[in-house]
Amino acid sequence: MATIALVDDDENIITSVSIFLEGEGYHVRTYNDGASALSALLEDPPDLGVFDIKMPRMDGLELLRRLRQSSNLPVIFLTSKDDEFDEALGLNLGADDYISKPFSQRLLGERVKAVLRRVRPVDETEDAASLEPGDSKPIERGRLLLDPNRHACSWDGEPVRLTVTEFLILQALATRPGYVKSRDNLMDAAYDDQVYVDDRTIDSHIKRIRKKFREVDTSFDSIETLYGVGYRYKEV
């Protein structure tokens, strides 16, 4: 049973999310602010942290910053819709994903499962013949390799660390190279159908995906923009 640390100053979120995650089979530890969570998370690390960004005493960004000095704990941020700058900063600090409030619990559950699966120890003897029911085969598109089962990505053999949302967007593009995906198509691929995001959110994700690939390969240009239409993946 995986243990999840939920850190949020909103008692309603603490209660509702705890009930949901426990119903999904997780053990949940709760904290009302970053200061009270920090020492506990360092002394007895959980398997995953779900942090609100805006909290009293110590916000989620500062909590993650201090944790990263000695811990690789995977973290999902809960953010407000107007926190785009904070989201970018959180990802730069090493967050694994973020979800904007209000969010559906089903979406949170999917993100939690995806992040936990990605950080699961890799059995190097595992291959396509050993896939479990419901698993997907890796997607190879020239220099790109995507493993949907672990949400792992590499380019020319070099790992590219994507959030779950970024991975799902790239997977939607790479599944059918050359085909144009509208922003609505990419929203459907990456988000729960109960969550609305605007076009700018998808554009921001695409910008971050390109930036991460260009940190590995400065000439990366496999995601093409068709202005007024959407995006497509160009296989190299």
Side-chain angles (χ1 to χ4, degrees):
M1 178 187 297
T3 297
I4 298 175
L6 176 60
V7 189
D8 199 305
D9 63 326
D10 187 324
E11 287 294 341
N12 291 328
I13 290 179
I14 287 281
T15 300
S16 62
V17 172
S18 295
I19 292 173
F20 170 75
L21 291 175
E22 288 170 352
E24 293 291 298
Y26 302 108
H27 175 65
V28 181
R29 291 156 41 191
T30 63
Y31 306 89
N32 296 108
D33 60 76
S36 62
L38 179 60
S39 59
L41 299 185
L42 289 173
E43 292 173 6
D44 184 15
D47 297 289
L48 172 70
V50 178
F51 300 167
D52 186 26
I53 285 187
K54 293 184 176 179
M55 294 184 291
R57 297 182 64 197
M58 182 188 295
D59 65 20
L61 292 171
E62 181 62 21
L63 174 58
L64 179 60
R65 183 182 290 108
R66 296 196 188 189
L67 283 172
R68 283 292 173 264
Q69 295 175 9
S70 58
S71 170
N72 290 318
L73 174 71
V75 169
I76 298 174
F77 270 129
L78 304 179
T79 78
S80 299
K81 284 187 175 180
D82 58 354
D83 286 343
E84 184 174 352
F85 173 78
D86 284 346
E87 291 166 0
L89 179 56
L91 296 178
N92 289 336
L93 287 172
D96 293 82
D97 209 350
Y98 65 88
I99 301 174
S100 296
K101 298 178 182 178
F103 57 87
S104 74
Q105 293 184 342
R106 185 172 68 180
L107 175 64
L108 176 60
E110 291 301 317
R111 293 295 193 263
V112 165
K113 285 191 289 187
V115 171
L116 287 174
R117 196 166 193 182
R118 184 170 63 191
V119 299
R120 182 181 64 182
V122 177
D123 180 355
E124 295 184 355
T125 66
E126 188 176 315
D127 56 25
S130 65
L131 294 176
E132 298 176 359
D135 281 354
S136 303
K137 293 182 179 179
I139 299 169
E140 294 188 58
R141 295 289 182 264
R143 301 156 72 184
L144 175 70
L145 177 63
L146 298 173
D147 182 352
N149 304 308
R150 295 191 181 88
H151 288 255
C153 171
S154 64
W155 181 262
D156 275 345
E158 292 292 324
V160 180
R161 186 182 175 86
L162 301 176
T163 69
V164 176
T165 306
E166 292 164 353
F167 183 95
L168 293 172
I169 289 172
L170 180 58
Q171 180 181 353
L173 291 168
T175 297
R176 302 188 73 185
Y179 284 78
V180 179
K181 293 284 187 179
S182 69
R183 290 173 177 80
D184 286 343
N185 295 150
L186 298 177
M187 289 177 199
D188 291 343
Y191 288 90
D192 187 285
D193 57 11
Q194 300 177 46
V195 176
Y196 170 77
V197 296
D198 61 27
D199 290 353
R200 291 176 300 173
T201 301
I202 296 298
D203 294 341
S204 295
H205 285 306
I206 293 291
K207 183 185 296 185
R208 290 193 187 108
I209 293 169
R210 285 172 171 155
K211 179 181 178 182
K212 290 180 179 183
F213 274 88
R214 286 170 183 162
E215 290 173 354
V216 174
D217 177 3
T218 56
S219 65
F220 176 83
D221 64 351
S222 291
I223 299 177
E224 298 182 318
T225 301
L226 283 80
Y227 292 98
V229 182
Y231 298 93
R232 68 183 172 195
Y233 185 82
K234 178 181 66 176
E235 187 169 353
V236 178

